[in-house]
Amino acid sequence: MILVSSCLAGLKVRYNGTHSLDNKIRKLIEDNKAIAVCPELLGGFSTPREPAEIIGGDGEDVLNGKAKVFEISGKDVTKLYINGAYETLKKAIEVGATIVVLKEYSPSCGSSMIYNGEFKGKKIIGNGVTTALLNRNGIQVISEEQFSDNIR
C-alpha cells in the first residue's frame, strides 16, 4: 500500500483551499492501491489556513527541538505539525505502507526541498516534519516529482 498527500489526489486541502492534483496519483487512489492523507489536517488544522514555514532549520531540526514552524502572522504552530506527523506515521504503520508520496516544498511533506522560513518563495534543501519522522521510522518518502519520474 502507498500513502499519498491528499492534495496530490485532488482534494482541496492545501493551506489556500486548493489542490495539487497529480493524475497518476489519483489513479492509484481509484485503483485502491493508495490511501490519501493530509498531515496538516491530521494535526488539527483546517482549510483554508495561513501559510507556514519552518524557521531555524528543517523537519529534522523541528523534531529535535532546534527549529519551529510558524504561520506568516507569527503564530507558533510547531505542535500541530508534530502531531500531524505522528498521526501520519500511525496511519502508515496501520496500512503497511511501503512508500509515501508527499507534496514537495511543504513544511510537513517536503522530501528534499522546503521553503526557507522567510515567506518569500525561496527554497532550501531539507525535509518537512512528517517526512523526517517517517524517514526516522524506516518509511521511504518521495515527492510527487520523483514519483512521476519513475512511473510510466
Side-chain angles (χ1 to χ4, degrees), residues 67-88:
K68 293 190 176 284
V69 187
F70 287 93
E71 291 181 332
I72 196 166
S73 66
K75 180 180 177 188
D76 183 344
V77 290
T78 305
K79 186 172 182 174
L80 294 173
Y81 275 82
I82 292 172
N83 290 346
Y86 277 96
E87 290 300 317
T88 303

Side-chain angles (χ1 to χ4, degrees), residues 8 22 24-25 101-105 111-113 123 142-151:
L8 296 173
D22 181 299
K24 292 176 185 174
I25 289 175
V101 183
L102 297 178
K103 179 73 182 113
E104 194 66 282
Y105 313 122
S111 60
S112 61
M113 301 284 290
K123 298 166 190 145
I142 63 171
S143 71
E144 73 279 12
E145 296 158 0
Q146 293 166 313
F147 176 79
S148 290
D149 287 347
N150 292 309
I151 301 296

Side-chain angles (χ1 to χ4, degrees), residues 60 63 85-86 88-90 92-93 97-98 100 129-141:
E60 287 289 336
L63 294 175
Y86 277 96
T88 303
L89 174 62
K90 284 199 297 197
I93 292 168
T98 53
V100 180
V129 179
T130 298
T131 296
L133 184 65
L134 293 172
N135 285 340
R136 282 186 180 186
N137 285 274
I139 299 171
Q140 181 185 9
V141 179

Side-chain angles (χ1 to χ4, degrees), residues 53 115-116 118-123:
E53 294 186 12
Y115 289 101
N116 72 354
E118 295 177 354
F119 296 94
K120 294 181 180 175
K122 294 182 182 176
K123 298 166 190 145

